[in-house]
Amino acid sequence: MRNIDIDREIERISAFIKGYFSEAGFSKAVIGLSGGIDSAVSAALTAKALGPENVWGFMLPYKASDPNSLAHALELVTAIGIPHRVIPISTWTDTYFDDYEPGADQLRRGNWMARARMCVLFDQSASLRALVIGTSNRSELLVGYFTQYGDSACALEPIGHLYKTEVKAMAARLRIPTSIIAKAPSADLWSGQTDEAEMGISYKNLDEALFDLTERNIQTWSPALPYSQADFDRASQLMRRSAFKRINPPIPEPPC
């Protein structure tokens, strides 16, 4: 696994955000805060780059969301000093599913909520004349652990090049609240859901395997690797299955 200079990377990402906003002609940002580590680090980096007064955090809970998610997000905005709003999404979520798709499973409902949240963020960005900050890390992007046109929709991904374990290391340096750093990663799409259980692999081993697959070009597992063949195969499978999520929609060639 690579070894990056966390302090240097914080400064580099902050400069990247500041430069991107300057070139695009914007000075404000909006970001969805889930109470998790990825959105916390993304918000802290953006506040460092633009000034906390220019970063709006939005909490968009559903009625079945873990109450700790909102509590941790509120703890974060206090810690980094950014303005915020809480906009529940229960009413219009329930109206759609109760009236038209009462038999929808948890995955469909979770994906719908991710897209509903992004609708709110983009509308708020129009109101505030701001850009939407993404919160996905490299690990999730490589294995497709995101909702297309939901949490993947944004103007820029400030931590999209960082593995999950690197994001956690950066969180400690940015003084993200311990309550956020210590808890099990979860998209909070349904009760009891955790990222690692859903993916079937720990982030530690996933990051090691993804680094070997994408940066060391190792295509065959060997006993010398610090994780099992099952984890190597799982990471490879997740990448293959989600490849379609990482490309722009295909367009036919122009007519001759």
Side-chain angles (χ1 to χ4, degrees):
M1 187 64 184
R2 66 188 183 186
N3 183 24
I4 65 172
D5 184 326
I6 296 295
D7 290 327
R8 180 179 178 184
E9 194 59 26
I10 288 172
E11 296 303 322
R12 196 176 74 89
I13 296 171
S14 298
F16 165 78
I17 296 170
K18 188 173 183 178
Y20 185 91
F21 271 74
S22 177
E23 185 174 344
F26 287 80
S27 61
K28 295 180 181 179
V30 299
I31 185 169
L33 298 176
S34 66
I37 196 167
D38 296 314
S39 61
V41 168
S42 299
L45 290 167
T46 306
K48 178 177 175 61
L50 305 180
E53 70 279 5
N54 292 316
V55 182
W56 273 84
F58 286 87
M59 297 80 152
L60 307 168
Y62 179 66
K63 64 184 181 184
S65 297
D66 185 343
N68 285 327
S69 296
L70 178 58
H72 292 159
L74 290 169
E75 188 178 356
L76 174 77
V77 299
T78 299
I80 63 177
I82 65 174
H84 71 279
R85 286 185 68 185
V86 179
I87 302 178
I89 64 168
S90 302
T91 303
W92 64 89
T93 296
D94 288 346
T95 297
Y96 172 69
F97 285 106
D98 290 350
D99 290 352
Y100 301 104
E101 294 292 331
D105 61 18
Q106 290 180 321
L107 180 60
R108 286 178 58 191
R109 292 172 183 268
N111 284 333
W112 197 96
M113 284 186 269
R115 295 182 179 114
R117 290 180 174 117
M118 200 51 62
C119 285
V120 174
L121 292 180
F122 272 92
D123 180 65
Q124 292 296 327
S125 74
S127 173
L128 294 166
R129 199 179 184 280
L131 294 179
V132 177
I133 300 293
T135 62
S136 294
N137 58 63
R138 178 173 171 81
S139 307
E140 294 169 347
L141 293 172
L142 283 175
V143 300
Y145 195 67
F146 57 86
T147 299
Q148 282 184 294
Y149 309 110
D151 50 327
S152 67
C154 59
L156 69 162
E157 294 275 21
I159 62 169
H161 63 302
L162 297 177
Y163 292 101
K164 182 75 169 190
T165 48
E166 294 170 338
V167 175
K168 189 171 184 178
M170 185 171 287
R173 205 64 58 89
L174 289 169
R175 299 182 179 178
I176 300 301
T178 304
S179 58
I180 295 174
I181 298 174
K183 69 179 181 178
S186 172
D188 196 20
L189 296 179
W190 54 82
S191 178
Q193 183 259 349
T194 66
D195 297 356
E196 292 176 322
E198 192 174 1
M199 290 189 293
I201 185 173
S202 71
Y203 270 116
K204 179 181 183 299
N205 289 348
L206 177 65
D207 287 357
E208 292 277 7
L210 291 176
F211 175 73
D212 289 339
L213 284 162
T214 65
E215 299 188 50
R216 297 179 66 200
N217 197 30
I218 294 175
Q219 300 304 312
T220 304
W221 180 84
S222 77
L225 297 175
Y227 48 85
S228 69
Q229 182 172 0
D231 283 343
F232 182 85
D233 292 343
R234 181 58 175 162
S236 300
Q237 180 189 56
L238 290 169
M239 283 187 64
R240 288 194 305 272
R241 286 183 176 179
S242 62
F244 71 96
K245 287 186 168 185
R246 292 185 294 277
I247 61 174
N248 290 326
I251 299 173
E253 292 293 330
C256 299

